[in-house]
Amino acid sequence: MQKYYNFWTYTIPKNWEIAFFTCICAIFFVPLHSILKYTMLTNLIEYDHVTHYYGKRLIYQDLSFSVPRGRILGLLGKNGTGKTTTINILSGFIQPHAGTCRLLGYDTRTMPSKERARIGLLLEGHVQYPFMTIAQIERFYAPFFPKWNKEAYYELMRLLKVKDYQILSQMSNGQRSQVALGLLMAQDPELLILDDFSLGLDPGYRRLFVEYLRDFCKRGEKTVFLTSHIIQDLERLVDDCIIMDYGKILKQCPVSELITPEKTLEDTFIDLTGKY
Amino acid sequence: MLRAIFYKEWLKLRLFWGLAVVVHIALIGYLLLSLRSTLLASGVVETWATMIGRDILMINQLTYLPLITGVCLALCQWLPEMQAKRIRLTLHLPIDNQLSIGAMLGCSIIGLCLLFGLDAVLLAGFGQVWLPRELVWRTFLTCLPWYLGGLIGYNIVSWWILEPQWKIRCVDILIGAPLVALCFLTTQPACYIQMFPWLIGLLLCTACLPLYSIYRFKLGKQ
Amino acid sequence: MRTKQSKIPTIQYLIIGLGIIVCVWLLPALYRLVAPNTSRTPFVVYSCLDSSFIQFETINKQVQYTDFKGNTFTKHEADSLLPLFAFRQLVAEGRLPDSLFGVALTPKLIQQNAFHFKTSPKQLNKPAVGLYTLLESASGRVDLQLPPDVFRLTDKGIEFIDCETNTVNKAKSLSFSRELEKYGFVFPVQLIWGNGSTRKDYDNGFLLTDSQNRLFQLKMVKGTPWVRAIKTDGCTITGYKQLFTIEPANRQLVGLVVSDDNQLYAVRADGSMTHIGIDSYDPQTMQITIIGDMFHWTITEYTATDSRYYAVDARTFEQVARAIIPDPAPAIKERIMRYVLPVRLRFTSWDTQLIAPNFE
């Protein structure tokens, strides 16, 4: 039996003491480990030295970035620079050739399926099920998400003045984007991944979308990773920004550093990437 | 959660199922009415003698209906999912991907079995009024490979649609089409009796294939 | 996720396996389509005048007449050598002999004694319907007519089903079952064969064997059962493999039966049985053709490896002549295919209508 030579005891521990200590450790260690792991997790997205090819075509090599908790990061780049590829790798729909991608501390390739409830995903073009009505799509998604907030969804639908029985396929792009946003708000995820949310939206709906999203994120301290091809909206939304060109990151910094009284974010983007 | 998957599939496919039930009932009704009119016009004795002596069952119009139903179901179920890669919505759900896709495949297979069961009940129920049980059983044995062909056809076309790469789709169809054709090698009644275990094995094998396409989709083979 | 998807490589092997199955099934079929097998089998008839087999073979769209010794004949000569086979041509040319072997020949007599029988494994290897039509054998009318019922076999008898009502005619069923039992028939029926077609001159009913492997004939005469136990005196038969009911024009035979040991027997109209002098006949694997006249039967058998020709006496069924011609060696293209594709899979076959996987 091992002797303890420290300040609180010089006695040999009894068997029941060892058993008790072991039990306490066992009871508290696992949940504590999880809690500590989560609370100490500062970066909800870690994109670590990722290289990806389509066939023999290199999309990018050794790309790294991270998104800290509570920040909204916008990925900007011209068409074909790999924005959607990045979204697909983050969402687990593509496995990178090299490097690792971690979401909420999990490698996307091995992430337990139930953890996906903590990640909200908006597909390019606000793709949803067009054959469902407003009520049916809410009813479909509700059982999957433990924190489902039905009211948040219907509140947005009421603001939009759409009826429960309206079918998505018969709605405008703008209305569909709000439905998709409403579903994300009802899901109440910690991390949102939005692929080109501005696609197909007129300026009015873009503004509406950005405002609702900003309010939602700020209220709930959400972490967001988004891409957009319309840069002017992002100034009001994103905290940090990555500007990508073919195969590399041109700039990664807080948006505030890129905006001056003379220059908008869009001007800086054009300066960096050339006219588009 | 599986109930939600079934709910979504029902919303997506209810029009298809409604139409399929109508078409199946209409064709079975037509076959039964044709049989009745033949019995009345040619005489029961002569019709039975023809069916027994010449081994004719008067159900040829039914041959490809289950296959057409299976193929149409696969198209109606998976084309909307592959449009704009909407399948990603299902794959992002916090549920095991194999389970969610398996549930989608499973509810279609169950639906097809129920629909085909309805055909069997109608054929056997009305058939046994006019025909001896041997001819009813022979009709069932003759139709069974066609119905298995419908189920295998559904699996193969699902596999084909879900495959993300066109060049692999071509290979899939080269393998899959002959496997479906295996169910339609003869028009002679009841000649598949030794093949049923093999066809059921093939049905089980092909049921796994769409999961492989999903696996490839998730690998990013696009 | 990763652990669950470890099943996926198994599906890869499954797809490869299915691909191989499709290849070993379809590639040989495709090869045969491109390079078809053109071998033909000649038509052979025994000449009672020449005591040899005369074969008719179409080469370059011309029929050639030869015997197995290599002699070639003209069409005119062949007709002369086969007077009973080509009697209509000889009558037209006025060349039909007045008599043969002391028997006066008339076209009617020749026609009455002509007999033709052909069957193949493909016709036999198929699932039976399980329903049979027993015609009225003595209706008093020239043409045969369909009965109002069909019958099925049960463990304890035979069961007639009235077609109009689709119900069992219990009285008739009982009467026929009892009559069979009266002759010593022990149910259930093991083998049965009959020809329910009305397109024939008369009806010989059914040949059937009981659970004790005894052979019986069943007919319906004026609506009542007519049963006869077939006498197998002088024949050592332990069991039967196949029965055929036949209705030759001379009404001297009732059927042909094949025993367990692949011997062919003729069942005479008097209920006796005679062995037919051929080496063997396996109905599951051999195709058989019998062309008979008043003096001889020419029996041709096609097996997987050879063609066998027999001539037997039409009265005693003793063997008169015999020739076995092995099939020619496989053509070079066939050998190439066997080398390139050593394993082949077939689902259909020349010898059965049943669909089943067969590896070669």
Side-chain angles (χ1 to χ4, degrees):
Chain A
M1 186 67 75
Q2 187 187 345
K3 278 192 171 185
Y4 284 76
Y5 298 103
N6 58 35
F7 70 96
W8 56 276
T9 178
Y10 283 95
T11 58
I12 297 167
K14 297 184 177 74
N15 284 344
W16 71 266
E17 284 174 336
I18 294 170
F20 178 76
F21 184 72
T22 312
C23 284
I24 293 296
C25 286
I27 289 165
F28 287 102
F29 179 76
V30 176
L32 263 178
H33 176 262
S34 302
I35 291 162
L36 283 173
K37 187 182 165 191
Y38 179 64
T39 52
M40 290 170 74
L41 191 71
T42 51
N43 291 329
L44 293 202
I45 295 177
E46 279 178 353
Y47 210 66
D48 193 14
H49 299 288
V50 173
T51 300
H52 194 68
Y53 292 85
Y54 280 129
K56 287 178 182 170
R57 190 164 68 91
L58 175 73
I59 304 301
Y60 44 65
Q61 196 161 19
D62 219 16
L63 188 73
S64 300
F65 63 85
S66 56
V67 185
R69 178 186 298 280
R71 301 289 287 180
I72 301 177
L73 185 137
L75 180 66
L76 310 179
K78 289 192 280 191
N79 286 342
T81 50
K83 297 191 300 290
T84 301
T85 302
T86 309
I87 292 274
N88 281 334
I89 290 173
L90 287 171
S91 324
F93 297 128
I94 292 179
Q95 290 192 10
H97 277 67
T100 52
C101 172
R102 291 180 171 278
L103 256 64
L104 308 169
Y106 296 100
D107 189 321
T108 50
R109 289 169 296 191
T110 53
M111 176 187 270
S113 48
K114 69 175 171 36
E115 294 297 327
R116 287 199 290 265
R118 294 164 58 198
I119 304 166
L121 177 67
L122 180 83
L123 298 181
E124 192 175 41
H126 318 100
V127 170
Q128 275 299 342
Y129 297 111
F131 50 85
M132 289 189 185
T133 63
I134 293 290
Q136 285 166 347
I137 202 162
E138 187 278 328
R139 209 175 137 194
F140 164 63
Y141 278 115
F144 292 101
F145 302 102
K147 289 160 68 183
W148 189 257
N149 181 1
K150 190 177 177 176
E151 282 313 306
Y153 173 74
Y154 278 110
E155 200 177 315
L156 190 60
M157 294 305 107
R158 274 195 292 276
L159 285 171
L160 276 174
K161 298 199 180 351
V162 289
K163 303 285 182 204
D164 287 3
Y165 53 79
Q166 266 185 269
I167 297 176
L168 265 66
S169 62
Q170 291 171 1
M171 294 167 80
S172 70
N173 265 346
Q175 286 175 317
R176 279 207 297 271
S177 71
Q178 297 301 304
V179 173
L181 182 62
L183 291 169
L184 284 177
M185 288 158 78
Q187 183 189 339
D188 195 19
E190 291 158 41
L191 171 65
L192 286 97
I193 297 173
L194 315 178
D195 189 11
D196 207 352
F197 68 87
S198 51
L199 188 75
L201 298 187
D202 60 29
Y205 269 113
R206 273 205 315 269
R207 175 180 285 267
L208 204 63
F209 191 97
V210 167
E211 279 173 10
Y212 284 142
L213 181 63
R214 191 180 52 200
D215 290 348
F216 173 68
C217 294
K218 293 302 168 197
R219 256 187 285 131
E221 286 197 338
K222 307 295 180 193
T223 309
V224 183
F225 179 87
L226 60 84
T227 64
S228 175
H229 72 288
I230 297 177
I231 294 154
Q232 65 211 47
D233 301 315
L234 297 185
E235 287 178 5
R236 295 194 301 274
L237 181 63
V238 299
D239 303 315
D240 303 302
C241 164
I242 295 176
I243 296 177
M244 269 182 86
D245 201 4
Y246 298 102
K248 59 180 184 291
I249 288 177
L250 296 174
K251 194 89 176 169
Q252 181 173 9
C253 60
V255 172
S256 54
E257 288 179 20
L258 298 173
I259 303 171
T260 59
E262 296 82 34
K263 275 189 178 178
T264 61
L265 179 62
E266 195 172 1
D267 295 333
T268 313
F269 178 79
I270 293 168
D271 285 349
L272 286 167
T273 60
K275 286 202 171 185
Y276 64 98
Chain B
M1 285 193 278
L2 287 182
R3 274 178 67 184
I5 300 263
F6 293 150
Y7 175 64
K8 184 194 80 171
E9 291 306 297
W10 166 245
L11 292 175
K12 184 167 61 180
L13 297 169
R14 60 190 164 173
L15 189 67
F16 168 83
W17 286 120
L19 202 66
V21 168
V22 169
V23 169
H24 275 247
I25 290 177
L27 190 76
I28 298 288
Y30 167 75
L31 290 173
L32 290 167
L33 286 173
S34 304
L35 173 65
R36 186 169 164 270
S37 92
T38 309
L39 289 166
L40 290 173
S42 310
V44 182
V45 173
E46 287 74 12
T47 310
W48 281 28
T50 308
M51 293 175 90
I52 295 166
R54 293 198 202 158
D55 222 353
I56 296 168
L57 288 173
M58 297 192 273
I59 48 160
N60 284 348
Q61 291 93 332
L62 192 64
T63 310
Y64 294 105
L65 181 70
L67 178 62
I68 292 168
T69 309
V71 169
C72 288
L73 172 61
L75 293 173
C76 291
Q77 187 177 20
W78 300 113
L79 280 183
E81 298 286 348
M82 293 310 278
Q83 218 175 18
K85 294 181 184 163
R86 198 167 274 118
I87 191 82
R88 286 179 293 172
L89 293 172
T90 306
L91 297 178
H92 186 70
L93 292 172
I95 174 174
D96 183 76
N97 289 161
Q98 288 180 33
L99 186 65
S100 56
I101 301 297
M104 289 168 80
L105 290 163
C107 64
S108 290
I109 290 284
I110 291 168
L112 282 177
C113 289
L114 290 174
L115 180 65
F116 296 166
L118 174 73
D119 288 2
V121 167
L122 287 175
L123 270 178
F126 285 95
Q128 69 175 1
V129 176
W130 301 309
L131 298 175
R133 61 169 184 259
E134 285 81 358
L135 288 177
V136 174
W137 177 242
R138 201 167 176 77
T139 304
F140 175 74
L141 288 180
T142 307
C143 297
L144 194 56
W146 304 340
Y147 283 101
L148 287 170
L151 295 172
I152 293 170
Y154 165 77
N155 287 338
I156 296 284
V157 176
S158 301
W159 175 41
W160 183 71
I161 298 174
L162 288 171
E163 166 54 46
Q165 282 182 314
W166 269 105
K167 61 180 180 187
I168 303 295
R169 268 187 198 160
C170 295
V171 177
D172 290 356
I173 213 72
L174 282 175
I175 296 173
L179 295 177
V180 174
L182 260 183
C183 302
F184 301 92
L185 291 178
T186 182
T187 51
Q188 288 296 315
C191 285
Y192 267 83
I193 198 116
Q194 294 175 1
M195 272 295 277
F196 289 134
W198 298 98
L199 289 185
I200 289 167
L202 183 61
L203 176 63
L204 295 175
C205 289
T206 54
C208 311
L209 301 181
L211 294 176
Y212 182 66
S213 294
I214 291 293
Y215 168 76
R216 283 175 49 75
F217 184 92
K218 284 215 73 178
L219 281 182
K221 307 273 184 195
Q222 293 161 37
Chain C
M1 196 71 192
R2 170 148 291 190
T3 50
K4 294 245 165 111
Q5 288 192 347
S6 61
K7 283 179 255 168
I8 293 297
T10 322
I11 304 180
Q12 276 178 343
Y13 295 127
L14 184 72
I15 293 170
I16 293 167
L18 290 174
I20 290 170
I21 286 174
V22 168
C23 285
V24 296
W25 168 38
L26 286 187
L27 288 180
L30 202 68
Y31 184 86
R32 284 219 174 87
L33 210 64
V34 176
N37 194 350
T38 49
S39 69
R40 291 190 198 92
T41 44
F43 177 74
V44 173
V45 187
Y46 181 72
S47 166
C48 54
L49 292 178
D50 197 37
S51 298
S52 68
F53 293 101
I54 309 289
Q55 57 177 341
F56 300 46
E57 204 168 4
T58 306
I59 297 168
N60 297 329
K61 293 181 184 171
Q62 291 251 314
V63 184
Q64 291 195 354
Y65 305 90
T66 54
D67 61 16
F68 289 146
K69 292 170 210 150
N71 301 317
T72 306
F73 307 102
T74 63
K75 185 171 173 45
H76 190 83
E77 288 167 340
D79 288 344
S80 303
L81 287 170
L82 302 166
L84 300 177
F85 180 73
F87 78 94
R88 288 197 304 147
Q89 184 64 34
L90 294 179
V91 168
E93 292 175 7
R95 294 200 289 133
L96 183 72
D98 294 336
S99 65
L100 208 59
F101 305 119
V103 179
L105 292 184
T106 63
K108 194 183 171 192
L109 185 70
I110 296 170
Q111 217 159 10
Q112 251 183 357
N113 286 288
F115 171 62
H116 184 253
F117 176 82
K118 184 178 182 179
T119 190
S120 65
K122 193 153 194 155
Q123 285 175 289
L124 304 175
N125 293 334
K126 62 176 183 181
V129 181
L131 293 169
Y132 310 90
T133 309
L134 183 60
L135 301 173
E136 170 57 57
S137 300
S139 65
R141 306 288 302 171
V142 177
D143 293 330
L144 292 168
Q145 284 185 328
L146 284 170
D149 48 32
V150 295
F151 73 90
R152 67 164 69 99
L153 307 171
T154 67
D155 285 346
K156 292 175 182 170
I158 60 175
E159 207 171 72
F160 284 88
I161 311 142
D162 184 69
C163 300
E164 289 292 344
T165 59
N166 195 12
T167 52
V168 175
N169 182 340
K170 286 183 181 164
K172 190 173 178 181
S173 306
L174 199 67
S175 137
F176 275 73
S177 300
R178 290 284 166 275
E179 188 69 14
L180 276 163
E181 282 171 345
K182 209 166 87 184
Y183 280 83
F185 193 96
V186 183
F187 285 103
V189 174
Q190 297 296 308
L191 292 173
I192 186 163
W193 191 275
N195 179 4
S197 169
T198 54
R199 291 182 180 180
K200 55 189 184 182
D201 293 337
Y202 67 102
D203 180 55
N204 265 336
F206 279 76
L207 285 175
L208 60 171
T209 59
D210 70 355
S211 57
Q212 313 285 318
N213 276 324
R214 286 172 303 179
L215 184 63
F216 293 82
Q217 186 187 3
L218 172 69
K219 288 203 290 188
M220 180 161 69
V221 177
K222 299 194 185 309
T224 55
W226 180 95
V227 178
R228 177 161 63 189
I230 304 300
K231 297 185 284 282
T232 54
D233 307 341
C235 306
T236 46
I237 299 172
T238 53
Y240 296 91
K241 206 174 208 178
Q242 183 67 47
L243 313 175
F244 300 104
T245 310
I246 52 173
E247 277 105 6
N250 65 9
R251 304 197 177 211
Q252 286 178 2
L253 296 176
V254 168
L256 298 171
V257 297
V258 186
S259 62
D260 268 348
D261 55 351
N262 293 334
Q263 292 302 307
L264 185 64
Y265 295 86
V267 181
R268 294 183 188 272
D270 61 2
S272 64
M273 237 161 75
T274 311
H275 178 253
I276 297 175
I278 61 171
D279 296 349
S280 70
Y281 164 55
D282 180 3
Q284 301 299 314
T285 58
M286 296 176 178
Q287 185 182 323
I288 190 169
T289 307
I290 302 175
I291 295 166
D293 58 45
M294 58 207 300
F295 299 113
H296 296 100
W297 281 12
T298 307
I299 301 176
T300 306
E301 287 176 349
Y302 297 112
T303 75
T305 53
D306 54 30
S307 303
R308 301 170 186 185
Y309 305 98
Y310 303 94
V312 296
D313 188 289
R315 275 165 301 208
T316 62
F317 297 113
E318 282 169 6
Q319 195 178 98
V320 175
R322 172 178 178 272
I324 294 178
I325 312 293
D327 287 346
I332 183 81
K333 54 191 175 191
E334 187 73 14
R335 289 206 296 272
I336 289 172
M337 190 182 75
R338 282 184 189 177
Y339 181 74
V340 176
L341 295 160
V343 180
R344 286 175 292 171
L345 174 64
R346 282 187 297 111
F347 291 95
T348 52
S349 174
W350 69 274
D351 60 356
T352 178
Q353 289 192 30
L354 293 167
I355 307 294
N358 281 303
F359 283 96
E360 287 180 345

